[in-house]
Amino acid sequence: MNATHSPPRSTAEGALLEISNLLTEFSRCIDARDRAALSLLFGEGAVLDFNGFEMRGRDAIRKGTPRSSQARGTTRHLWTNLQILSASADRIRTRAMQLTLEQGEGASLQVRVSDLSDEFAKGGDGRWLFASRTMTRQIDARSGVAE
């Protein structure tokens, strides 16, 4: 099966549920600042591109961005508008949007909206994992006032 043909409906529905859970687990790990668990959502050679800061491989993803080691306060990452662009038995490409709410200690609320471009691949155990994720920030605002 190639990327221009969809897998059978029952396979596609099962994959969509697993992908949805993977997106939600990504958000949970980021909000909990659990980079070790986050890295396990990615395949061994996966790439995470965060606004041009590229992390290649699980170890780099586990170490995170320079900003992630200094983060304080509370964040909530919410994803929406999931669209499957292509699907085969072992690869799925999607796009979605992510809303990030962040409030640091004594700081104003920051709201960010990012476009997500994801590719998922089946891992050796048959689970879907991120093969790549590109996050591109589109909106960055504090207390409703654009910066």
Side-chain angles (χ1 to χ4, degrees):
M1 184 179 306
N2 63 42
T4 60
H5 294 92
S6 296
R9 188 168 176 84
S10 61
T11 303
E13 289 170 353
L16 182 59
L17 178 59
E18 198 170 340
I19 295 299
S20 294
N21 287 336
L22 192 56
L23 293 171
T24 300
E25 186 63 9
F26 180 95
S27 295
R28 189 200 65 74
C29 289
I30 290 288
D31 291 338
R33 293 183 177 84
D34 188 347
R35 288 182 263 165
L38 178 74
S39 69
L40 297 176
L41 303 177
F42 288 80
E44 288 295 334
V47 175
L48 174 57
D49 182 325
F50 180 72
N51 291 313
F53 183 87
E54 186 177 286
M55 294 164 270
R56 189 171 293 274
R58 280 186 177 161
D59 190 50
I61 292 167
R62 184 183 50 74
K63 289 177 183 172
T65 67
R67 184 180 181 278
S68 65
S69 64
Q70 301 168 351
R72 304 232 188 282
T74 302
T75 62
R76 289 297 178 262
H77 292 75
L78 312 164
W79 63 270
T80 187
N81 295 15
L82 177 63
Q83 182 179 22
I84 295 183
L85 302 175
S86 65
S88 69
D90 61 351
R91 299 289 274 197
I92 295 178
R93 285 185 334 113
T94 67
R95 68 178 164 205
M97 288 188 284
Q98 178 175 283
L99 173 66
T100 304
L101 304 171
E102 181 175 1
Q103 185 147 31
E105 298 170 10
S108 61
L109 176 66
Q110 185 172 1
V111 178
R112 296 185 297 272
V113 178
S114 299
D115 289 338
L116 305 174
S117 178
D118 295 318
E119 186 168 348
F120 303 93
K122 287 266 184 142
D125 61 0
R127 291 182 311 125
W128 289 100
L129 297 170
F130 284 96
S132 69
R133 167 165 264 200
T134 301
M135 303 169 70
T136 307
R137 187 166 298 153
Q138 300 299 320
I139 298 171
D140 194 341
R142 290 184 190 269
S143 296
V145 178
E147 292 188 277

